Structure formats: C-alpha cells, structure tokens
Amino acid sequence: MSENVLKVENATMQFGGVVAVDNLNLEVNRGEIVALIGPNGAGKTTAFNVITGVYQPTNGAVWFRGEKIVENHPQGKMKQQYKGEHAGDYTQVLAPTPDKVTRLGMARTFQNIRLWKSQTVFDNVLIAKHCRAASNVFTATFRLNRKEEAAQRENVLELLETVGLADVKDELATSLPYGKQRRLEIARALAAEPKLLLLDEPAAGMNPQETEELTAFIGEIRDRFYLTVFLIEHHMNLVMNISDRIYVLDFGKLIAQGDPAAIQNDKRVIDAYLGVSEDA
Amino acid sequence: MKKTVSKSAWATLLCVAALLALVVILENVLDPNKNIMVFTALKKGAVYALVAVSMNLLNGFTGLFSLGQAGFMLLGAYTYAILTIPVAQRDAVYYIYNGSAINFSLPELFGGGAFGLVLGVVLALALGGCVAAAVAWLIGLPVLRLKSDYLAIATLGFGEIIRAVFQWDKLGPVTNGANALKNFPTFSSFNITNGSGETVLRLSTFTAFLLAGACIAVIVLLINSTYGRAFKAIRDDEVAAEAMGINLSKHKRLAFVISSFFAGVGGGMFAMFANQAQAKTFTTAMTYEILLIVVIGGIGSVSGSCIAAFLYVAASEWWLRFLDAETFIGGFKVPLLRNGFRMVVFSVVIMIVVLFFRRGIMGDKELPDLLEKRRKERAK
Amino acid sequence: MQYAISILLSGVSLGGQYALIAIGYTMVYGILRLINFAHGDVFMVAGLMMVYLTASLPLAASIPLVLVLTVLLGFIIERAAYKPLREAPRMSVMISAIGVSYLLQNLATYVTGGLPKMYPEIPGISNTITIAGAPTKVVTIVTPILVLALVAALTQLIHHTKVGMAMRAVAKDFETAQLMGIKINAVISATFVIGSFLAAVGSVLYFTNYQSIVPLSGALPGLRAFVAAVFGGIGSIPGAVVGAFIIGLSESVIKGSSWSIFSDAFTFALLIIILVVKPTGLFGEKVTDKV
C-alpha cells in the first residue's frame, strides 16, 4: 500500500560531547505531509541537515525511495566519546554531499531564507534548474543547448505562474516582501524537480493570515506536483491543519508520533512542548 | 522579451565590429612611430582587459578570491614563446645553454608564411592557455577546498613557486633560465608587407583587439549560460547553491580552470606585446595591478573591467607619464615630480576608489544594461 | 660542524624575527578575520624610518621614535583603510589591505628613488662574535631572547589585563562581544598597535642582519611570517611563534643548500600542504559554519 519515500534509521548526531539528535527513527510515505515538531533546540534542524547531507550523522542511516543514501558509525575519537543510544549495526560509510542528495530528488528550504541576493526572482528559480540540465560547459557556452535552455525558461515561467510570482519575475529576489520570499524559496526548491520537499519552518515570522495562505499553498503544490512533504514547524495551527502524521522531538529524542489528534492529547507532548507553546 | 535580447546581442556585435574597424583605420591613418604611446596603450590595454576579465570571472562572478593571475600568465607566456621562436633563432636566444632543448616552431611547422603564422600563433596561444588550465586543475584539487582568504594566500604562493621554477638553471634549455625569451612572432608580425618589405597594411593593434575580443566574448557567453548562473549562485550563497544541486567543488574548479585558461592566453598575448617573455616580469605586483583594474571597473562587470583596463593602461603608460619627469616651468621646479610619483598618485587614486567608490565604474552592471535603463527612463 | 652551527644560528634568529611579524598577522586575523597584507610593508617602512631618522638624530633617540611612529602608522592604517569597511564584504577589506600595501611600497620607491638604503649599524648588536667557531652577529643571540621576553609579556597582557580579556572576547565572537558593551574599535586599535610595535622591533633586528633595505623588503618576510602564522594555527600566538621558528630554520637550511632558489617555493608548498592536511594549523581552533 503506502510506499516509503524517506526512512531515517537510528540516526544520532553528536557534536563533541553534545548529542543533538539521539536515535531518531522516522518514516515518510509517498504523498504524505509529515511534520517534525519540538521545542527550540530539540534538534529538528539538525535532523534535517542529516537527511540532506549537510551533516554526516555520527551513527545511523537514511533511506530515500528504497535506496540507502547515508550511513555512518562512530569512528576514530568518536568511538570512545559516543553517547548515543543505538550502536553496532552499521559498518559502511555513505556520505553524499548536499548537491548529490538534491539531484537524487530531495529539495529543501531554509529556516532563515537563503535566496541568491543579486539575482532576480526568475533567475533564482532558473538556477535551481541547473542541476537538471544535460548540457556541459562547452555546449552551454556556445549555445548548443538552445532547446534545453528554452524549455527550462518556459518551465520556470509556468512554475512562477503556479505559485503566483509571475508578475514580479524581474524584480530582485530580496526586494520581495517576506511572505513572497518564502514562497519563492519553495518555488526554487520545486524547480529542482524533487519527489520529496523538505520545508524548514516555512511559516517562521508570518502573521496568521499569511500562515493560512501558506497552509493552503503547501496542500496545493503537494497535489499538483505529486509531492511528499516533510516539514519542521513551530506554528501549531499550520501543523495540525496540514499534517497527516506528526513526530515530536525533545532534547534530541523522539517522544511521540501519530496523527494530529493523538499528538494534541499526548501527555508527554503537552508537558514537553504544547504546554509552553506561544501558540497554544 | 526574447526579441529584445537577440536585438541587443546584434547591437553589441555591431559595436564590436565598428570598434575593430576603427582600430584598423586609426592604425593606418596615424603614424605609429609618432604616436607610440597611443598604440602601446591600446595593445597593452587589450591584453590587460582580457586578463582582468578572466580574473573577474573568478573573483567577481564565482566569488573565489584568487591571486594567482600572474603565475598563470607566466605559464601562457612561456608556452607561447617556447613554441613559436623560429628554429634559426634558437641558438641566439638560448646562447647561454648552447641551444634549446625544443627544436621546432609551430608557425614553421605549418609551412610558414601568413597561413602558418596565423595558425601557429593561435595554436600556441591556445596551448599556453591549456598549460595554464592544466596546472590550475592540478593545484585546484587541494587549494579550492580552502576558504576565500586562504585561497588568496595559497594562489599568491603558487605564483611565487612558478616564478622560482621557471628561473631554475636546470630548466635552462627549455626556459632559458632567468634570461628573457625573444625573437618570437609579436603583434607587429601581423602587419602586411609588400615584396620590398614596406608595410602596406598595419594590423598589429587590430590583432591584439581581435584576439582579446574573441576571448572576452567567450567569457561573456559563459557567464550568461546556465553555468555562469550557477557560478553567480555560488558567489551569492554557497550553502543555498549546494542545496539546490550545484556541485560546489566541480563548479569552483571549472571556474578556476577556465579563468586560468584565459589568463594563460592573456600571458601569451602579453609576451607578444612586450616582445619578450621573462619570469621576473610576472610578479605579485602584476597580479595586484590586474586586481585593481577589476576593482576600479567594478567587481562583477565585464564591461567595467574592459573600460578600466584601457583607462589604467593609458593613464600609467601615457597620460600620467609627466608625473615621473622632473619639470621646470621657467626657472621654477615643479615640486614632487620625479621618478616614482606616478605610482604614488595611482595608489592614492586606488585607495580612494576602494574606500569611497566601492562599486567602481560599473558596479556589477554591464554597459548595455545601463543604456537600456537610460532609454527606459527617457521613455517615461 | 661549524657550518651547521651557523645555519642553525641564522635560522633561529630569522625565526625570531618572523615571529615578531607573525604575531601581528595572527592577532589581526583572530579579531577581524582579515589578512593584513600591509603588515609586511609596515615592517619595511619601520626599517626605512630608521634609516632616515639616524641620518639626523642619535641612535638613542631614533629607536624609540621609530617604535612610536610605526605604532602610529599601524593605528592610522586601521582607522583610515579598514574601519570604514567594517560592514563591507570581506573581499573589499582584503582589497583595501592590498591597496595599502601597494601605496606603502610605491611611496617607499618614491622616497628612496628605488635605490637600496644602508641600514645603520647599531653598536652592541651589530658587532660580530664567534660562537662554537661560527662567526655571527650579536643580534643573532639577542633575537630569540628578546622574542621570548616579548611573547611572555604579551601573553601576560592578553591573559591578565582588561584589554587582553576584551581581545579574547572579540576574537571568540565579534558580535556578542559588541553587544556585551566591549568597545570594538578600541580593541581593534589596540591589536594594531601591538602588532605594529612588534613589527618595528622585528625590523630593527631583521635589517641589522641584512644591512640594506629596498621598498620590496617587506613583502617576502611578510608573506613568510604569514605562512608561519597559518602554520602555527591562525589566531594563536604561541602557534605563530612556533611556526615562525620552523619557517626560519627551514629557510636557513634550504638557503644553505644547492636548492636555495626554491626557498620561497618551499615555504609556500609547506603552506599549501598544511592548509590541505590540517587547515587549523598546529594550535588553531576548529570553526564550523552554521547552516
């Protein structure tokens, strides 16, 4: 029935003596919207960075569409220092760079927007198409890739129309209002043609109305691009409205998982998080 | 939108063709012997424009702060010279080492004459670029992993190493040690003479412009291609670029290798301009000179680098020469003017640009962009 | 044997002189993350000032005056060329540093007419003595001792004074230090003052050994000292000193062999190797970037 798109297995990330994420296990199935929540400093972004190849986990593995893409086990100095819960099953070392992970079909946004500042809205999205271009530097320089280039431009224009940024396509990315910059970052991630979209706090800094629009928008693009979405979020409204399933992280450990209703009533989650949440 | 792009491309092409025609006319109307400064400035300006643009590709468009330009120019200059010195001249040039280890010359290999000259020179320049590019690829493997400021120091160090290697006595039969290589084809070799040796059509400055122009055109095409856009993404935000599927090490190396290729070609052309190639010319000071041209023109602007190259060369070789000469007006000796003052004035101007006009002449805009903006404003 | 000793002696004294320059690089880099390309030229200008001052003043007055003027020069350079660019991208500041270096070199060429100048003899340290059969100048012996004394004093300053504490705080985290009310500009100025002072002392020792001085005299010792700073781990003062002695010794050994033309090439090859193998140097701290 449901096909597994992302699977994180026993992932532990330890920086020096600090265990930021401890023995994380989670699965995201095809077509789902899954959220990872937790108080500040719970290790959510670290988990994201492990999945996307920015950090190499200290121990554990990440599977993407049935293929193991990341694997590691404590080595060298870390062997003595290692404090993670799980150990022993992993022997290989697989550490793809983030660009490789993206080309495999995962694209992300950033918590603190990272657009290319000197580029226009259009170019920001167009550049993300670069990783899908078949041309090499020679054919690209001497314009032997006209067809591909034209197709890419067409494609980007369509994408911008879908996300409602076509009217500002020639503006500088940084001149857009905050909400639109967030939207542009999502459009840019979509241009890389992902199967799995990772959103790092997409509603950070948004007002309730913008958040509502974003909620609708995420659902829309999921259906339109046949996506699977995995997101980190603080805004409870957004998470509860949109998610099929939720994972809760506290002090690097998974403390609960389930559908929104179950999470809302989970005692440990309320203690750890909802009880002190600004939105509750 | 599409139409205007190709229209402006045609307009640019037309302007370049007009410029080349103007150079030919100028060269044949003005007597070069009476206007040495003008033509020196034009030729050296063309060479420096190419090298500055190649540096800008790296520093301005990819955000990699490299200071190895003089080193790569040296590689290009030596490769060019070694491959083109006529066989008959080799004993004279390499007299200290009793002749050269390499005994062929590309122009002669292609049968000499005008055809052999053009083909030989172009091929030698291209090979000079290739040698520079190959070396860049090799040192890029370790060096490009470094952060920007370490990269600057490491490439600066590379320039020093290359200079030492080429002056090494043991390599004398190839590099002529610390002595200059000369007697190879220069820009003046492209002047067309008649049977009795009189010059009928002067093409030396034109040759410099044509070669530099062709190379700069390729760089511009690259910058505006999907690869150029990827370079700019790396410059703006490396983390985001990597997250969007751009392989950082591959693209950085690509930019470094291509930039070095054109620096190598520029080095070969510099040898053609200077009528000799000698390791001690390609110092760190030369790299600084080129860097300052890039800064004055605007980091990230090709047309800025070109304009600044001509301005800089014209000012240093021609307009400001008087600053170095002791001058008397009547019985009054003008103060300060004496050897070295020109460079002081230069450095002060550069500091003013760096501190107060950080965007340089063009910022990161290109000439056509500015004209377009002007037209739009007028239309309003 | 005698030859080996003289090589060793000159290596140690060279290392000490580089150490004094390297400390200036490493402190500035630690705080501003800037390679102060002009530092080597400040060192050269200190040497030239000595030449011109001793022409009209007695030695006892010239040396302190050189120290004061060099400190002033370092202070002015920071205020004029680096401070206005504090918010600018790092590349701009680096270019400004290169610009200052270019300006100082060209000014020196203008003033000296590009001709080498003879460095004045300093009685006491210019004299020749013989150690274990190897003739050398007193300065060779004085240098390492003076360097160790100065480094000890500097370490005291950094660990036990208010300014020193502020410096360490700024080096650790520029912005937080600023938020905590540390006067950033004063700390940076203090760094340049200390760096320039040490460079001035270094120049007296270095040029006493080398006798003549040209406008480019600062460039290479400056670069070598920078390499030493990187080698030892940039930002670390003991690292810079250790690195400088290693660079000084290896330069002296290579200069004494038939490979002397490659002495600088070797220094830079060493730099590239250390940057690739251990970018943090011998004593440097690891810095990670945040995503």
Side-chain angles (χ1 to χ4, degrees):
Chain A
M1 96 303 96
S2 60
E3 185 195 334
N4 202 252
V5 174
L6 176 73
K7 191 164 99 186
V8 178
E9 245 180 31
N10 310 112
T12 299
M13 184 76 233
Q14 183 173 343
F15 298 102
V18 181
V19 183
V21 171
D22 192 8
N23 197 19
L24 179 66
N25 282 283
L26 56 81
E27 285 178 28
V28 181
N29 297 318
R30 189 163 148 191
E32 274 187 322
I33 296 183
V34 175
L36 180 63
I37 64 172
N40 278 328
K44 300 176 304 267
T45 299
T46 306
F48 243 50
N49 285 338
V50 165
I51 295 167
T52 53
V54 177
Y55 295 151
Q56 190 184 5
T58 318
N59 183 54
V62 177
W63 296 71
F64 181 60
R65 301 170 77 203
E67 190 192 340
K68 194 187 273 179
I69 59 167
V70 176
E71 178 175 343
N72 200 15
H73 54 95
Q75 294 166 73
K77 238 198 267 171
M78 202 34 104
K79 248 182 191 162
Q80 277 88 49
Q81 282 185 314
Y82 184 64
K83 292 194 286 199
E85 199 175 276
H86 177 275
D89 286 356
Y90 302 98
T91 47
Q92 259 184 298
V93 176
L94 271 174
T97 47
D99 59 284
K100 185 152 179 241
V101 173
T102 303
R103 287 198 298 276
L104 285 172
M106 237 192 252
R108 72 177 288 180
T109 64
F110 294 90
Q111 189 177 339
N112 42 351
I113 302 174
R114 278 178 173 266
L115 291 166
W116 293 303
K117 295 187 177 67
S118 70
Q119 304 296 309
T120 62
V121 170
F122 185 82
D123 282 341
N124 258 283
V125 182
L126 185 59
I127 291 169
K129 281 265 169 231
H130 179 70
C131 68
R132 300 290 172 209
S135 58
N136 60 33
V137 70
F138 185 80
T139 55
T141 302
F142 295 102
R143 302 295 186 264
L144 303 171
N145 63 340
R146 260 167 223 271
K147 248 192 200 152
E148 185 182 71
E149 174 96 12
Q152 281 189 350
R153 285 176 180 272
E154 188 97 346
N155 204 308
V156 168
L157 215 55
E158 266 171 41
L159 190 60
L160 284 174
E161 258 156 35
T162 317
V163 302
L165 291 172
D167 51 328
V168 289
K169 71 180 170 58
D170 293 324
E171 312 249 332
L172 271 184
T174 40
S175 69
L176 295 186
Y178 191 78
K180 285 197 173 173
Q181 288 196 22
R182 285 259 174 229
R183 205 169 260 243
L184 174 57
E185 239 203 350
I186 296 175
R188 182 177 72 174
L190 290 175
E193 297 167 26
K195 300 281 186 270
L196 172 66
L197 182 63
L198 298 149
L199 304 173
D200 193 347
E201 299 204 17
M206 284 189 172
N207 61 32
Q209 196 210 330
E210 283 173 323
T211 309
E212 210 164 287
E213 281 171 20
L214 182 77
T215 313
F217 178 64
I218 294 172
E220 235 168 71
I221 54 170
R222 189 246 324 243
D223 298 339
R224 191 176 182 115
F225 297 97
Y226 311 104
L227 286 174
T228 307
V229 181
F230 183 43
L231 59 94
I232 295 176
E233 196 37 80
H234 259 321
H235 277 244
M236 277 307 123
N237 289 343
L238 184 130
V239 174
M240 293 302 164
N241 285 336
I242 207 176
S243 313
D244 297 311
R245 286 183 308 114
I246 296 173
Y247 288 91
V248 187
L249 209 56
D250 192 25
F251 292 111
K253 291 194 183 189
L254 215 51
I255 56 166
Q257 62 186 79
D259 59 39
I263 293 295
Q264 258 166 328
N265 298 317
D266 190 304
K267 177 82 173 53
R268 277 185 304 174
V269 177
I270 294 167
D271 284 350
Y273 184 60
L274 293 183
V276 292
S277 162
E278 68 230 306
D279 290 286
Chain B
M1 169 82 200
K2 263 260 154 97
K3 274 239 163 95
T4 52
V5 167
S6 65
K7 214 194 219 165
S8 76
W10 280 113
T12 314
L13 213 61
L14 211 68
C15 286
V16 172
L19 182 72
L20 286 174
L22 186 72
V23 167
V24 177
I25 294 168
L26 205 65
E27 196 172 17
N28 287 288
V29 172
L30 291 177
D31 182 356
N33 294 324
K34 284 188 192 135
N35 296 289
I36 295 174
M37 285 305 181
V38 181
F39 292 104
T40 306
L42 283 176
K43 282 183 227 172
K44 193 175 176 189
V47 175
Y48 268 40
L50 170 58
V51 183
V53 171
S54 81
M55 190 180 209
N56 210 339
L57 173 66
L58 208 55
N59 294 16
F61 289 95
T62 320
L64 294 171
F65 196 70
S66 151
L67 295 174
Q69 229 61 8
F72 294 114
M73 286 176 74
L74 182 151
L75 288 171
Y78 268 76
T79 311
Y80 172 78
I82 290 165
L83 291 176
T84 55
I85 297 173
V87 174
Q89 306 274 358
R90 294 217 170 213
D91 283 344
V93 173
Y94 286 88
Y95 69 96
I96 296 175
Y97 298 95
N98 299 319
S100 163
I102 293 162
N103 273 308
F104 65 88
S105 157
L106 284 181
E108 289 166 22
L109 230 51
F110 292 116
F115 173 76
L117 178 72
V118 172
L119 203 59
V121 165
V122 170
L123 191 65
L125 284 175
L127 284 173
C130 290
V131 169
V135 172
W137 188 81
L138 273 178
I139 67 165
L141 292 176
V143 163
L144 285 177
R145 288 172 28 199
L146 307 174
K147 284 231 201 77
S148 62
D149 29 11
Y150 286 150
L151 179 68
I153 282 287
T155 45
L156 200 68
F158 153 75
E160 295 291 327
I161 295 175
I162 279 288
R163 209 147 41 87
V165 170
F166 273 74
Q167 291 180 329
W168 190 26
D169 214 37
K170 299 238 164 71
L171 287 176
V174 181
T175 62
N176 209 11
N179 313 296
L181 291 169
K182 32 182 186 252
N183 294 349
F184 46 77
T186 64
F187 289 132
S188 314
S189 315
F190 287 84
N191 288 336
I192 295 174
T193 49
N194 61 14
S196 54
E198 271 173 75
T199 307
V200 236
L201 186 63
R202 292 192 199 93
L203 288 176
S204 67
T205 314
F206 168 77
T207 309
F209 269 67
L210 186 68
L211 287 171
C215 291
I216 292 172
V218 173
I219 297 178
V220 170
L221 282 172
L222 170 72
I223 287 170
N224 291 323
S225 77
T226 177
Y227 281 84
R229 290 193 297 263
F231 293 162
K232 287 183 238 174
I234 294 174
R235 170 192 69 188
D236 281 5
D237 190 329
E238 225 176 83
V239 173
E242 195 174 28
M244 295 326 293
I246 295 169
N247 184 332
L248 290 186
S249 54
K250 179 186 153 194
H251 284 80
K252 283 181 180 178
R253 198 177 319 134
L254 202 61
F256 191 51
V257 165
I258 294 172
S259 164
S260 306
F261 174 85
F262 286 109
V265 173
M269 287 175 61
F270 186 82
M272 291 175 82
F273 159 78
N275 298 335
Q276 61 159 339
Q278 193 167 16
K280 70 171 188 197
T281 346
F282 300 94
T283 53
T284 310
M286 191 181 216
T287 303
Y288 286 177
E289 229 177 8
I290 295 155
L291 173 68
L292 298 169
I293 289 175
V294 173
V295 173
I296 294 171
I299 296 173
S301 167
V302 172
S303 37
S305 289
C306 295
I307 295 169
F310 284 103
L311 280 180
Y312 180 89
V313 171
S316 71
E317 301 281 325
W318 179 19
W319 300 333
L320 297 183
R321 275 275 169 207
F322 75 92
L323 291 174
D324 267 3
E326 290 186 10
T327 313
F328 292 88
I329 300 174
F332 172 70
K333 182 178 179 298
V334 184
L336 296 176
L337 298 192
R338 84 180 131 91
N339 212 2
F341 191 60
R342 180 176 53 120
M343 291 316 287
V344 174
V345 171
F346 253 118
S347 346
V348 172
V349 170
I350 284 156
M351 281 316 293
I352 291 172
V353 171
V354 169
L355 289 175
F356 303 109
F357 305 96
R358 224 187 310 152
R359 295 175 49 77
I361 301 174
M362 302 290 293
D364 57 359
K365 298 279 181 295
E366 296 296 346
L367 211 47
D369 294 348
L370 292 186
L371 296 178
E372 188 77 9
K373 209 170 134 199
R374 258 275 189 67
R375 198 155 9 137
K376 265 186 197 155
E377 266 163 22
R378 212 174 289 161
K380 271 179 200 167
Chain C
M1 185 59 203
Q2 194 179 320
Y3 185 62
I5 286 175
S6 77
I7 294 243
L8 190 72
L9 281 175
S10 79
V12 168
S13 103
L14 204 55
Q17 289 143 13
Y18 288 161
L20 292 177
I21 317 177
I23 291 171
Y25 276 114
T26 217
M27 286 177 71
V28 169
Y29 192 91
I31 286 181
L32 283 181
R33 301 278 176 274
L34 161 73
I35 298 176
N36 184 9
F37 281 94
H39 193 58
D41 301 290
V42 168
F43 163 83
M44 175 272 298
V45 171
L48 274 184
M49 283 198 278
M50 188 73 176
V51 171
Y52 285 97
L53 284 176
T54 44
S56 49
L57 287 174
L59 210 55
S62 310
I63 294 180
L65 206 54
V66 165
L67 297 184
V68 171
L69 287 175
T70 312
V71 162
L72 203 63
L73 178 68
F75 176 79
I76 292 171
I77 289 174
E78 197 280 317
R79 280 292 150 105
Y82 304 151
K83 190 174 165 233
L85 298 176
R86 207 136 289 161
E87 304 299 318
R90 262 163 77 191
M91 204 192 269
S92 305
V93 196
M94 204 144 51
I95 290 167
S96 185
I98 289 176
V100 172
S101 154
Y102 202 56
L103 175 64
L104 290 179
Q105 283 176 15
N106 286 328
L107 259 177
T109 311
Y110 176 65
V111 171
T112 60
L115 302 169
K117 292 279 168 191
M118 286 307 286
Y119 202 73
E121 296 254 327
I122 302 175
I125 65 170
S126 293
N127 302 347
T128 310
I129 53 164
T130 311
I131 294 167
T136 184
K137 285 185 176 177
V138 177
V139 68
T140 320
I141 309 301
V142 172
T143 303
I145 298 168
L146 194 59
V147 169
L148 291 182
L150 283 170
V151 169
L154 183 61
T155 318
Q156 287 297 313
L157 178 90
I158 284 183
H159 286 279
H160 300 289
T161 65
K162 219 173 156 191
V163 181
M165 205 196 291
M167 276 180 183
R168 281 183 291 142
V170 176
K172 202 102 203 152
D173 190 331
F174 197 93
E175 267 131 37
T176 311
Q178 204 163 16
L179 290 175
M180 293 296 135
I182 291 174
K183 292 195 183 78
I184 292 278
N185 287 327
V187 171
I188 292 169
S189 293
T191 311
F192 275 84
V193 162
I194 295 172
S196 308
F197 173 78
L198 294 176
V201 176
S203 94
V204 172
L205 301 172
Y206 182 87
F207 290 114
T208 300
N209 230 356
Y210 277 73
Q211 290 156 355
S212 87
I213 175 167
V214 293
L216 279 172
S217 290
L220 273 176
L223 276 173
R224 292 186 202 121
F226 180 78
V227 173
V230 174
F231 196 92
I234 197 121
S236 151
I237 291 171
V241 175
V242 172
F245 278 110
I246 294 174
I247 296 282
L249 276 171
S250 51
E251 185 187 328
S252 156
V253 168
I254 293 177
K255 280 247 164 89
S257 73
S258 59
W259 297 84
S260 65
I261 191 172
F262 287 109
S263 77
D264 285 321
F266 173 80
T267 307
F268 282 107
L270 202 65
L271 170 77
I272 293 175
I273 291 168
I274 190 93
L275 285 179
V276 170
V277 177
K278 198 168 185 304
T280 50
L282 297 177
F283 299 94
E285 279 172 36
K286 200 175 174 180
V287 198
T288 36
D289 275 342
K290 267 199 173 163
V291 176

